[in-house]
Amino acid sequence: MKLLTCPMNGPRNIDEFQSFGPVRAKLDPNATADRDWSRHLFRAENRKGILVEWWRHVPSNYFFLAERDLVTNEIIRTFDASQLRDRA
Amino acid sequence: MNRLPAPFGSRIDRSRRIRFTFEGKPFEGHEGDSIASALAASGQWVLSRSFKYHRPRGILSMTGADANALVQLPFEPNAAAERTPISDGLRVSAQNVNGSLERDRDAIMDMFGRFLPVGFYYRTFMGPRRDSWLKFWEPMIRRKAGLGVVDTKAPARHFDKTHLHCDVLVVGAGPAGLSAAITAAEAGADVVLCEENPEIGGALSYGRYDPAVLSGLSSRLAALPNLKVLTATVCNGWYEDNWLPLIQGNRLHRTRAREVILATGAIEQPAVFRNNDLPGIMLGGAAQRLIRHYGVRPGDSAVVLAAHDDGYRTALDLLDAGLSVVELVDPRPAGEAGPLEAELRDNGIAIRKGATVEAAEGTPGNRHLARVRVGGSWIACDLLAVSIGSAPAWQLPCQAGGKVGYDAATQTMTITLPQGPVHLAGAVAGTDEIKDAIADGQRAATAALSRLGHAVAVERPVTPKTIRPRYVQSIVADPKGRDFVDFDEDLQVKDLQNATKDGYREIELVKRFTTIGMGPSQGRHSALATARIVAEATGRTIGEIGITTARPPVGPETLGVLAGHHEVLERRTALHARHLALNAAMKPVGAWWRPYYYGDASSAEEAVREEILAVREGVGLLDVSTLGKLEIRGPDAGEFLDRLYTMAHASQPVGRVRYCLMLNEMGSVVDDGVAYRMAQDQFYVTATTGAVARVYADMLFWNAEWRLKVDVLNLTGAFSGLNVTGPKARQVLEALECDIDFSRDAFPYLSGRDGTVAGVPVRVMRIGFTGELSYELHCPSSLAPALWDAVMATGKPHGLRPYGLEASRILRLEKGHILIGQDTDAITTPDELGFGWAVSKKKPFFVGKRSIEMRARLGQTRTLVGLQFPAGARNIPGESCLVLRNGAPVGQITSVGYSPSLGHHIALAYVHVDDQAEGSSVTVKCRNGELVEAPVVAHAFFDPTNARQEI
């Protein structure tokens, strides 16, 4: 079983975690055409490369982010959501 | 009896005799014997019949890997006879026989082999009709070619799971594994050593080696308290980040190791020639295991086929065991001269070089080996020990990312692993001799220790001094066939050649077309020969052909081990014992146990009816503790709820309770509840029982992005809820000792109060799921029984009656109140529920807002309405029955029930948007296929003006 290092709880078995999908671009709902909004909701790109994803540590209900290589399935790093905002 | 005197027989206790039966006949063995060894000691060599041709088969490897040594036990199919110990009274029978093992009616299949070409299934069973395979061929083949039989009435066995953590896990306790484990443990690491056999030592336990080597390693091992040895334990897979299942009997050790050293050894390979499957033809290691482990003489008169030192050692062992060794045949043109050869010659054994066994012949019925042909002449013998080389045990290394190659110099398979936390040691890494394996174990251990941060000098891999061929496999294809490459699946050389002629040139395709390597031994004895035959047939190298992908599990595992010991997870409210004391019929609702009604099953309908009437006419009490309860605190609490729910909460006054409806981003209804604003910066929010876990997660998920100043607390288990409802509810509460004014003006509908009732701190919300005057009292769960007792005692003179889930469902249905998940589905919008009133038009944003606006533009197609069925109607549709319009389905019934208050059946249903008006009539298809008409009525069947809840 894969290990995932939670920024708050340290390395834990991945079955303690729940994936909440890739971090998506922020869209202004009021300035987006219907077609683009549908794509935003339902279309997952699944491109080769590094993906930033939301993960939840279920017992502590803590949400954080992980960078994962979609080819090797290697988790490159994990970090708190506050860093995502700092970066944006 | 073929039993040898001590010191042969390290596993058996000669003082203890054990009686068992095989195929109904009595046999006797010693404590410690396996089924196969005890049978061999009594001269019973045939263990099964082969898969396709029903040829007699027996011991090949003594490792338990082969289909031919699988037997049926009373409660366990496919038990490995070579590994399963005998026990008193054990009834063992042979598998894959039609009739008996001795007289198998399907043995005639051996004569018709040419009608069973490779790919036979694909060629033959396609017709004559499209369903012929399912209807005719598959059942017939399953009867003919099955393995064991599962006894579905077998008594339950106990299985369990444990967790194991270590610095270094060493798989395999042969010389390399022992030395690796000892080196790592002596440096202070926490080490687990896992060995599938009952004893440590690997080849040292049965091979012809100096016993001092094993005893020296054993005594060092015994002195190490930080080295845990698990014998009779199979490491059955490698998973990401060094997570490995170790199976020890009925126990699964889920193991996480920081470093893993795989010392899985090598697998001895059989030779290919005509009739190479006869009982009496076995691998050299099998003969040595029979002699040293079990004290069983593997025959009387032996020929040894040897292309390796181990073959010469086997020949010497056979002499020691009292066999006459007729000849040693060495296919190498100039065999390795050395002390072993000289020792054999000193014993007068003839050694023939540059020759091989070309064919074998059996006794009548092919029940045992009778003679072998070498260089054109026949030699009589009853044992052929084959020791022509081995292949590294590639299964675990390949799962861990190892790549298979081929080394032409040693003529053997190689495995390379990328740099990382998995290391190879010993024969699996290519060492040939014991001392090299021991040195390689030390090297692997230092590599692991260095990665763990120990200050050790990392050594380079051991380079063997002599490079010599280690795998001289003689493949002697015979025009008449029966030159088996895969014993499990009865595949011969020509089958593989024909597959390549049919165009299946890649190894993975050859496997799928021929089924080679698909049997219980999973290619352990066939993968290399297959690669060689395919390479020759397609003009490529063995390295280019390779082997098929190795995946977990390494060997068969019982489902019980995977399932483990299972407890059903269940949740009970704090009032569970109170319900039981009141003779409640408890039912599971998700994980929770809830009272369905109070009373005996014989009077269930009556009980439900009385409970409903109590609420409508007097007062009832419902345990609503399973409701989700969330507390939202912080300066942004109002804003937070505004974004999550559809109604306005930022502007909600303190002390008021407001309905809340949650949508997902797609605009579908996912949850509802109420929000009680306890203070400017504090809300108490309920969620549906089934959805609270998700709502709680979603709240924090959204706020990970929004970063509003709020804290969310899940109080679902910490708080309990009691709903006191009915026209007399206020009288009961006012009669209780309390500091809350329950009067109509002081505590109006849809407001909340904090205070103390019967000495218990409570949060009270005046809401109305039943449509009657209702107060929901929430308190800390530890105090809930005290509150329940006080309400029950005080309510008694007022006729208060506890009611269960069934009454609650009918009560809410009479009011047309929806249940999320029952009356909604994955695409339900608020408009479809007629909940436009619950969606704020003023808020700039809430989750799902953008999508419901877009979906409104697409046009609404269905609406949830009430349907009414006439009193005494014969045919009432069930939940999920379709609503039809012009013969086409447009919706379905979501809830249905009999209303005692109204005296007829009522339902909620999705109907076409054009039929939503009260007075329309819709067509519903009942379970029995009949169509019934039902009039559409207002949502609230009972008390449509909602006067009763506001009294």
Side-chain angles (χ1 to χ4, degrees):
Chain A
M1 191 184 316
K2 211 171 172 59
L3 286 171
L4 185 56
T5 302
C6 171
M8 189 161 78
N9 301 286
R12 312 288 308 169
N13 284 350
I14 204 155
D15 67 357
E16 282 186 22
F17 298 89
Q18 183 184 5
S19 168
F20 267 66
V23 172
R24 293 175 301 168
K26 284 202 179 59
L27 288 187
D28 177 357
N30 300 317
T32 307
D34 284 357
R35 188 189 161 78
D36 295 334
W37 185 250
S38 296
R39 284 179 70 94
H40 174 69
L41 290 183
F42 298 113
R43 172 106 178 204
E45 288 295 345
N46 199 23
R47 286 206 180 92
K48 270 188 186 179
I50 312 264
L51 189 68
V52 184
E53 293 174 302
W54 286 105
W55 283 85
R56 171 191 184 218
H57 183 244
V58 175
S60 61
N61 205 19
Y62 167 70
F63 283 87
F64 61 95
L65 295 136
E67 276 179 14
R68 186 167 62 95
D69 186 321
L70 293 187
V71 179
T72 63
N73 201 25
E74 183 198 355
I75 295 163
I76 295 151
R77 72 180 185 117
T78 55
F79 54 99
D80 187 80
S82 59
Q83 290 181 43
L84 185 73
R85 199 181 47 160
D86 298 346
R87 206 173 53 167
Chain B
M1 288 293 287
N2 299 323
R3 199 67 84 165
L4 296 164
F8 294 125
S10 60
R11 285 186 184 173
I12 56 169
D13 176 358
R14 282 167 222 262
S15 68
R16 305 198 50 179
R17 293 182 179 283
I18 288 177
R19 287 178 179 83
F20 67 104
T21 65
F22 179 64
E23 288 284 280
K25 280 183 280 183
F27 284 90
E28 200 179 83
H30 293 297
E31 169 102 28
D33 256 326
S34 66
I35 294 167
S37 70
L39 291 175
S42 304
Q44 173 70 42
W45 291 98
V46 179
L47 292 174
S48 73
R49 293 273 175 168
S50 73
F51 185 68
K52 216 153 84 177
Y53 303 122
H54 288 255
R55 289 165 65 94
R57 292 277 168 86
I59 292 168
L60 174 67
S61 68
M62 276 309 280
T63 62
D66 314 286
N68 297 322
L70 298 183
V71 290
Q72 174 82 41
L73 301 184
F75 301 129
E76 193 179 340
N78 310 323
E82 296 167 343
R83 305 185 70 90
T84 308
I86 52 169
S87 53
D88 262 317
L90 188 67
R91 283 179 292 120
V92 185
S93 46
Q95 293 185 166
N96 202 39
V97 292
N98 180 7
S100 72
L101 181 63
E102 267 304 301
R103 304 203 174 280
D104 185 339
R105 287 192 282 277
D106 288 344
I108 196 162
M109 298 294 273
D110 202 11
M111 314 291 285
F112 295 103
R114 65 197 168 91
F115 300 115
L116 289 171
V118 65
F120 179 60
Y121 291 178
Y122 304 117
R123 295 177 204 272
T124 310
F125 302 130
M126 303 297 286
R129 288 173 36 180
R130 269 180 66 183
D131 59 352
S132 295
W133 168 252
L134 276 179
K135 290 271 159 58
F136 179 70
W137 295 114
E138 198 260 356
M140 185 183 92
I141 290 167
R142 200 164 281 285
R143 276 198 306 277
K144 278 272 174 265
L147 287 168
V149 181
V150 175
D151 181 356
T152 53
K153 294 190 177 68
R157 278 153 69 186
H158 181 82
F159 295 89
D160 66 14
K161 290 181 182 173
T162 66
H163 291 268
L164 201 58
H165 294 264
C166 58
D167 293 332
V168 181
L169 171 70
V170 181
V171 182
L178 283 170
S179 114
I182 290 167
T183 306
E186 283 178 349
D190 185 16
V191 180
V192 171
L193 174 61
C194 153
E195 167 57 49
E196 63 178 331
N197 287 296
E199 73 281 283
I200 59 166
L204 296 175
S205 75
Y206 63 82
R208 189 179 180 85
Y209 302 110
D210 182 0
V213 177
L214 180 54
S215 59
L217 290 166
S218 293
S219 57
R220 280 170 73 191
L221 180 115
L224 290 161
N226 53 330
L227 201 170
K228 182 186 176 90
V229 182
L230 296 174
T231 50
T233 303
V234 177
C235 179
N236 222 18
W238 181 94
Y239 295 85
E240 277 177 300
D241 293 324
N242 279 351
W243 194 89
L244 305 101
L246 308 185
I247 300 171
Q248 188 178 33
N250 288 351
R251 174 171 295 177
L252 174 67
H253 300 273
R254 293 149 60 107
T255 307
R256 177 78 69 184
R258 293 171 69 194
E259 297 289 315
V260 169
I261 296 172
L262 299 174
T264 46
I267 302 164
E268 214 170 18
Q269 298 293 309
V272 179
F273 51 85
R274 179 167 166 82
N275 292 330
N276 61 341
D277 63 329
L278 293 171
I281 301 179
M282 66 179 76
L283 298 171
Q288 290 182 304
R289 282 174 169 94
L290 281 173
I291 294 169
R292 287 229 166 67
H293 284 160
Y294 300 108
V296 171
R297 196 170 51 236
D300 294 317
S301 169
V303 170
V304 178
L305 177 62
H308 189 271
D309 279 358
D310 283 341
Y312 286 71
R313 291 194 185 98
T314 303
L316 289 165
D317 280 345
L318 293 175
L319 284 176
D320 287 355
L323 279 84
S324 82
V325 177
V326 184
E327 192 167 68
L328 183 140
V329 182
D330 189 339
R332 295 175 294 187
E336 283 293 311
L340 291 167
E341 187 178 339
E343 200 179 338
L344 270 177
R345 289 197 192 280
D346 288 348
N347 279 287
I349 305 301
I351 299 179
R352 192 188 317 206
K353 300 214 170 170
T356 191
V357 174
E358 294 139 11
E361 273 185 3
T363 56
N366 278 336
R367 283 181 174 76
H368 204 85
L369 174 67
R371 55 183 190 155
V372 295
R373 197 180 78 213
V374 179
S377 56
W378 290 96
I379 308 169
C381 59
D382 66 352
L383 171 68
L384 175 67
V386 177
S387 192
I388 53 165
S390 55
W394 68 87
Q395 289 83 2
L396 282 173
C398 285
Q399 288 172 26
K403 293 275 172 287
V404 168
Y406 184 76
D407 181 32
T410 55
Q411 295 184 25
T412 192
M413 203 169 103
T414 58
I415 302 172
T416 44
L417 271 177
Q419 286 279 322
V422 184
H423 314 265
L424 301 181
V428 71
T431 66
D432 193 20
E433 295 188 37
I434 297 295
K435 61 178 188 337
D436 289 341
I438 290 174
D440 200 42
Q442 280 167 6
R443 179 204 53 81
T446 51
L449 287 166
S450 138
R451 287 178 50 90
L452 290 171
H454 292 254
V456 286
V458 179
E459 300 159 35
R460 295 170 58 80
V462 182
T463 320
K465 286 180 205 72
T466 51
I467 295 183
R468 54 185 175 179
R470 238 171 292 152
Y471 175 61
V472 186
Q473 191 179 27
S474 51
I475 294 176
V476 187
D478 194 286
K480 284 184 287 179
R482 301 299 180 266
D483 41 5
F484 292 99
V485 180
D486 187 319
F487 299 102
D488 294 355
E489 303 274 348
D490 270 358
L491 289 163
Q492 308 155 71
V493 175
K494 65 168 186 235
D495 294 328
L496 294 171
Q497 289 167 341
N498 288 343
T500 61
K501 281 180 199 152
D502 281 343
Y504 299 100
R505 292 163 52 88
E506 301 309 318
I507 192 75
E508 298 281 2
L509 296 177
V510 170
K511 171 176 172 173
R512 279 151 188 80
F513 186 65
T514 63
T515 70
I516 194 142
M518 288 190 185
S521 71
Q522 289 286 293
R524 279 171 178 77
H525 297 130
S526 64
L528 275 186
T530 306
R532 226 179 104 179
I533 293 163
V534 174
E536 255 163 47
T538 61
R540 288 177 293 175
T541 65
I542 297 170
E544 283 171 326
I545 301 297
I547 57 167
T548 57
T549 309
R551 297 183 185 87
V554 173
E557 53 198 12
T558 54
L559 294 176
V561 162
L562 300 183
H565 176 66
H566 256 260
E567 294 286 355
V568 177
L569 294 177
E570 60 173 58
R571 299 186 77 178
R572 297 173 173 185
T573 74
L575 301 168
H576 194 79
R578 296 291 186 281
H579 302 317
L580 294 184
L582 289 163
N583 193 26
M586 303 299 287
K587 279 208 170 180
V589 182
W592 290 96
W593 280 87
R594 297 195 67 178
Y596 201 54
Y597 56 84
Y598 294 85
D600 292 326
S602 56
S603 54
E605 263 181 55
E606 183 64 15
V608 172
R609 201 182 64 83
E610 281 175 11
E611 287 171 15
I612 292 168
L613 290 180
V615 173
R616 290 279 177 240
E617 286 164 15
V619 57
L621 175 62
L622 179 69
D623 177 6
V624 293
S625 303
T626 63
L627 269 179
K629 306 169 206 77
L630 300 162
E631 192 162 303
I632 321 290
R633 288 191 203 215
D636 292 337
E639 166 72 13
F640 182 64
L641 294 190
D642 259 6
R643 293 194 193 184
L644 279 171
Y645 290 102
T646 58
M647 287 181 84
H649 296 281
S651 57
Q652 182 179 337
V654 172
R656 294 293 291 171
V657 173
R658 198 162 274 179
Y659 180 70
C660 45
L661 184 69
M662 184 180 272
L663 308 181
N664 60 14
E665 278 203 283
M666 202 173 101
S668 297
V669 173
V670 290
D671 194 40
D672 70 351
V674 293
Y676 163 30
R677 189 163 208 168
M678 301 179 68
Q680 193 60 32
D681 59 354
Q682 184 184 7
F683 284 86
Y684 185 65
V685 179
T686 66
T688 53
T689 303
V692 62
R694 198 178 103 189
V695 169
Y696 176 51
D698 280 351
M699 281 184 171
L700 292 205
F701 175 56
W702 283 112
N703 208 41
E705 215 166 278
W706 298 338
R707 309 209 75 76
L708 294 171
K709 289 186 182 124
V710 290
D711 190 24
V712 182
L713 198 59
N714 189 349
L715 295 176
T716 300
F719 270 61
S720 292
L722 278 64
N723 189 21
V724 184
T725 180
K728 294 180 182 168
R730 184 177 290 130
Q731 281 164 263
V732 173
L733 290 172
E734 281 175 339
L736 280 156
E737 185 198 320
C738 68
D739 60 4
I740 298 172
D741 184 349
F742 284 101
S743 68
R744 180 184 169 163
D745 297 333
F747 194 162
Y749 182 60
L750 286 183
S751 52
R753 297 289 180 266
D754 307 342
T756 308
V757 170
V760 175
V762 288
R763 299 166 173 186
V764 188
M765 293 179 284
R766 205 183 141 184
I767 45 183
F769 198 51
T770 62
E772 301 295 333
L773 172 66
S774 294
Y775 298 90
E776 219 170 85
L777 283 67
H778 289 238
C779 69
S781 287
S782 55
L783 300 172
L787 185 61
W788 172 275
D789 292 343
V791 173
M792 286 289 284
T794 311
K796 203 172 180 186
H798 303 277
L800 179 137
R801 199 186 156 118
Y803 68 100
L805 196 57
E806 180 59 14
S808 173
R809 281 180 180 160
I810 301 288
L811 287 163
R812 68 92 200 177
L813 182 58
E814 288 177 344
K815 289 299 293 178
H817 288 156
I818 60 155
L819 286 178
I820 304 288
Q822 165 125 16
D823 302 303
T824 66
D825 56 30
I827 55 169
T828 302
T829 62
D831 282 343
E832 290 175 350
L833 300 173
F835 276 15
W837 57 268
V839 179
S840 165
K841 306 289 182 291
K842 291 181 194 148
K843 288 197 292 184
F845 171 83
F846 57 83
V847 175
K849 181 174 195 279
R850 175 69 174 79
S851 294
I852 54 171
E853 287 165 359
M854 181 171 152
R855 289 173 69 179
R857 282 198 296 278
L858 292 172
Q860 186 182 338
T861 57
R862 59 174 192 169
T863 305
L864 190 73
V865 299
L867 297 182
Q868 181 174 308
F869 301 92
R874 188 178 46 84
N875 209 358
I876 304 292
E879 282 159 10
S880 301
C881 280
L882 291 177
V883 175
L884 303 178
R885 193 173 206 259
N886 303 325
V890 290
Q892 79 278 7
I893 304 273
T894 60
S895 292
V896 65
Y898 176 77
S899 161
S901 318
L902 302 168
H904 50 77
H905 278 86
I906 51 177
L908 292 178
Y910 285 102
V911 300
H912 192 274
V913 70
D914 292 342
D915 292 336
Q916 65 176 324
E918 204 173 336
S920 310
S921 181
V922 296
T923 308
V924 185
K925 188 175 186 180
C926 294
R927 292 255 160 83
N928 60 5
E930 273 183 46
L931 303 180
V932 296
E933 294 289 313
V936 173
V937 295
H939 250 291
F941 300 93
F942 181 79
D943 182 28
T945 59
N946 295 331
R948 299 175 67 91
Q949 65 198 21
E950 311 232 10
I951 59 171

